[in-house]
Amino acid sequence: MAISARSDVRIGQGQLYIGGDTYPLRNIARTSIKQYRLLPPPTPPWAKNATILGVIGAVVSLIVLIAAGSGDDSGFMGVSFFWLLFWIVVAFIGIRRLQRPKTAPVDLTALQITTSGAPHTALWTDDRAAIEELSEQITLGINDLGVTYSTNLTTYQISDKDIVNVNAPGSVGVVQDTATGIQQG
């Protein structure tokens, strides 16, 4: 899941300051606001399989261990005990992954800034009204370098492991190939 933190955002002296980043207002061609939904990480498909396989393996190993206990082969009994422990650990790991707390999706708003190149997402937050006000202040600051503005926002750092769906009119969104994990869109 994305990491959240508080960030100072301010406009002054012809500059836009977002945390440690500085953008000269004269270099900003436009700003845009995009709506996204940050989805919780999915339960890995192997977790259910590991749980089922671990339980079955533990039961079979226990039966073999009981059968080996009636004989004289202590080496076979030791190997059976090892496999019983192994399958119990596999089942435990699978159960722990299945029991991870489910988090609700988070609706995020991104402020994208376009300078001379492609749009750059400068800020992710869950406060859409603050982003709209900031975008308006940036537009005013481009035309009047004397504009000052300051706020403190909860911002999010989005990593490559986060699943983000575009949630805007007319967008096709992000498609993720479940086999390879490659995202397109």
Side-chain angles (χ1 to χ4, degrees):
M1 216 44 195
I3 301 169
S4 65
R6 297 295 292 179
S7 293
D8 288 324
V9 179
R10 59 190 176 89
I11 297 172
Q13 302 171 346
Q15 307 285 332
L16 167 64
Y17 303 95
I18 300 175
D21 296 333
T22 304
Y23 300 91
L25 292 175
R26 292 283 183 194
N27 290 350
I28 297 174
R30 73 181 188 107
T31 62
S32 57
I33 299 171
K34 302 289 183 191
Q35 190 71 32
Y36 297 93
R37 174 164 282 178
L38 182 65
L39 301 176
T43 302
W46 61 262
K48 184 177 181 182
N49 296 341
T51 304
I52 293 169
L53 190 61
V55 170
I56 291 171
V59 168
V60 169
S61 296
L62 184 62
I63 291 169
V64 170
L65 183 62
I66 291 171
S70 63
D72 293 336
D73 192 2
S74 62
F76 186 69
M77 193 169 165
V79 170
S80 297
F81 184 72
F82 166 77
W83 280 109
L84 175 64
L85 290 178
F86 171 78
W87 289 118
I88 289 173
V89 168
V90 168
F92 179 74
I93 290 170
I95 289 169
R96 294 287 297 169
R97 288 302 294 244
L98 288 174
Q99 290 180 337
R100 281 193 169 173
K102 300 291 183 194
T103 55
V106 178
D107 289 326
L108 296 178
T109 304
L111 174 69
Q112 292 185 334
I113 295 175
T114 305
T115 53
S116 59
H120 166 70
T121 302
L123 182 63
W124 297 84
T125 186
D126 54 2
D127 189 351
R128 182 171 176 88
I131 290 291
E132 288 173 351
E133 183 180 355
L134 177 60
S135 180
E136 183 179 321
Q137 293 296 321
I138 291 171
T139 304
L140 292 173
I142 291 170
N143 296 323
D144 179 10
L145 296 180
V147 169
T148 59
Y149 174 78
S150 181
T151 189
N152 192 293
L153 295 172
T154 300
T155 58
Y156 292 83
Q157 293 179 343
I158 307 297
S159 74
D160 293 340
K161 294 181 180 178
D162 293 322
I163 300 173
V164 180
N165 285 347
V166 177
N167 201 16
S171 17
V172 280
V174 176
V175 178
Q176 181 175 8
D177 182 355
T178 54
T180 63
I182 296 173
Q183 292 184 352
Q184 298 176 354

